[in-house]
């Protein structure tokens, strides 16, 4: 059972996954670094914009992703953040190689704690879907 699977039921869940045959085996740390630490400048700008917009609403923006790692094993890293408005978990999964092939996935799980959490998520949902898919494709290509 994957670590992320214990975070259900939820109000929202999505996942993007691929079966890949990388030149060198990938780890969840490799995918994490590419998606959450080495993202393009326009993505960094979007995070800064989000933080500026939500601050007056009493929502906390992010100040990095390394401090959000809450669980890990050899195949999966879980990022999480809980506040009064919503809780979210992101699972970054990468199977052990089998005949050179690996399964890689990024799963997002969100639980709304109140109406403001729903409004916030509606505002970022489109960006979330586009960014996760794009950053995931970049991460698994190396």
């Amino acid at each position: 059972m994957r670590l992320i699977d214990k975070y259900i039921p939820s109000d929202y869940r999505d996942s993007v996954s691929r079966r890949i045959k990388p030149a060198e085996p990938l780890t969840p740390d490799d995918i994490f670094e590419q998606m959450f630490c080495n993202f393009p400048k326009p993505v960094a700008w979007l995070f800064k914009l989000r933080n500026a917009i939500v601050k007056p609403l009493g929502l906390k923006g992010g100040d990095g992703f390394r401090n959000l790692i809450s669980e890990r094993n050899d195949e999966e890293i879980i990022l999480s953040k809980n506040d009064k408005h919503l809780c979210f978990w992101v699972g970054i999964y990468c199977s052990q190689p089998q005949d050179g092939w690996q399964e890689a996935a990024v799963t997002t799980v969100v639980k709304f704690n109140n109406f403001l959490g729903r409004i916030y998520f509606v505002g970022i949902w489109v960006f979330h879907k586009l960014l996760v898919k794009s950053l995931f494709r970049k991460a698994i290509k190396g």
Side-chain angles (χ1 to χ4, degrees):
M1 181 168 121
R2 291 193 32 215
L3 294 173
I4 196 70
D5 290 336
K6 67 182 171 186
Y7 299 105
I8 50 177
S10 59
D11 296 308
Y12 176 83
R13 181 181 178 101
D14 70 24
S15 188
V16 58
S17 63
R18 297 280 188 281
R19 187 165 189 244
I20 57 174
K21 191 168 188 173
E24 295 291 323
L26 286 177
T27 67
D29 289 295
D30 296 331
I31 296 172
F32 172 81
E33 287 294 321
Q34 288 299 311
M35 288 188 70
F36 295 96
C37 300
N38 298 326
F39 42 78
K41 287 183 183 183
V43 174
W45 181 85
L46 283 173
F47 283 126
K48 287 180 183 178
L49 177 64
R50 178 211 53 197
N51 292 346
I53 291 170
V54 301
K55 188 174 182 179
L57 302 174
L59 297 170
K60 293 181 181 177
D63 58 353
F65 291 95
R66 289 188 198 283
N67 61 336
L68 298 181
I69 296 174
S70 59
E71 292 183 72
R72 67 171 36 247
N73 63 27
D74 290 342
E75 293 186 333
E76 193 167 15
I77 295 172
I78 301 294
L79 310 175
S80 65
K81 186 168 185 176
N82 303 324
D83 67 28
K84 65 183 179 182
H85 304 295
L86 59 77
C87 303
F88 79 82
W89 300 269
V90 175
I92 303 164
Y93 173 78
C94 196
S95 70
Q96 298 297 317
Q98 256 184 336
D99 298 323
W101 290 93
Q102 291 181 270
E103 294 292 327
V106 175
T107 303
T108 303
V109 178
V110 180
K111 180 76 176 150
F112 304 119
N113 294 331
N114 58 35
F115 186 69
L116 195 52
R118 283 186 189 278
I119 296 299
Y120 168 73
F121 192 72
V122 165
I124 67 161
W125 178 77
V126 171
F127 295 107
H128 164 80
K129 295 285 282 187
L130 294 172
L131 287 175
V132 168
K133 286 180 182 180
S134 174
L135 293 173
F136 179 71
R137 279 193 301 268
K138 176 183 171 257
I140 61 175
K141 288 181 181 175

